[in-house]
Amino acid sequence: MAEVYPRLWRYAMSLTGRRDWADDLIQTTCLRALDKADQFEPGTHLDRWMFRMAQRIWLNELRSRKVRTGGGLVPVEEIDLPDHSPGTEVNIVAREVLNKVNTLPEAQRQAVVLVYVEGFSYKEAADIMEIPIGTVMSRLAAARKRLNTEMAEKQAEVT
């Protein structure tokens, strides 16, 4: 569980966009996992099981709050993330990309985090989000297109 926790917290941050909500989501997910430990199948992937559980809990929370997609996000500057980047330029680009990722619609943002940040395969991400693999691929393509367009526009402004 110790190796899954940081990844699960990062995923919760991508879902919620706020540190306090991510902390609450992780606490609820861990409690639910302990409560339903008898349902976990040994030999399967604990991380996928918990990521799926976190997603379901968050979706239920969204439904109960009636919050719409993309709401409640904060700029990355307001998130207390550790800086492990090798240099200033890399950090600046990573911050810009993360800010752009945070502006994506929730479904696209989720797919980007699961595949590109967490390293899950398309199939694994589809299983976690409980959607067809083609939908994951479509969301990633749309996210890449949007991010490329926005970054190209920003580059054009600079030059």
Side-chain angles (χ1 to χ4, degrees):
M1 173 83 162
E3 63 276 355
V4 174
Y5 187 85
R7 294 176 56 222
L8 187 62
W9 188 86
R10 189 170 45 228
Y11 181 60
M13 276 297 300
S14 77
L15 290 174
T16 66
R18 288 184 43 179
R19 178 182 271 293
D20 56 339
W21 291 355
D23 290 341
D24 290 345
L25 178 57
I26 291 302
Q27 182 178 8
T28 304
T29 302
C30 289
L31 288 172
R32 174 99 32 98
L34 289 171
D35 198 36
K36 301 201 178 271
D38 60 322
Q39 295 177 10
F40 177 71
E41 297 177 28
T44 61
H45 297 275
L46 178 63
D47 58 349
R48 294 181 206 167
W49 185 65
M50 292 192 70
F51 274 57
R52 188 176 304 117
M53 193 178 299
Q55 181 198 19
R56 288 178 181 161
I57 292 168
W58 179 244
L59 290 175
N60 287 338
E61 180 67 22
L62 285 177
R63 286 183 194 113
S64 70
R65 292 183 190 186
K66 297 185 181 193
V67 173
R68 294 292 172 234
T69 300
L73 294 179
V74 295
V76 72
E77 290 82 14
E78 295 178 21
I79 301 172
D80 184 23
L81 297 175
D83 182 13
H84 299 292
S85 64
T88 305
E89 288 181 19
V90 172
N91 192 29
I92 291 169
V93 171
R95 183 175 299 262
E96 287 178 23
V97 171
L98 185 55
N99 277 331
K100 294 294 183 192
V101 168
N102 279 338
T103 66
L104 292 171
E106 183 176 347
Q108 290 176 11
R109 188 174 64 246
Q110 239 185 313
V112 166
V113 169
L114 288 173
V115 174
Y116 297 132
V117 177
E118 293 302 327
F120 287 110
S121 70
Y122 290 178
K123 170 126 180 54
E124 292 167 336
D127 289 345
I128 290 168
M129 293 188 292
E130 298 177 313
I131 58 175
I133 192 170
T135 304
V136 171
M137 295 167 69
S138 174
R139 289 177 182 177
L140 289 172
R144 280 192 306 268
K145 182 177 179 181
R146 180 172 172 177
L147 291 172
N148 283 334
T149 300
E150 290 179 8
M151 295 303 276
E153 287 172 359
K154 182 169 176 71
Q155 186 64 29
E157 291 173 6
V158 172
T159 55

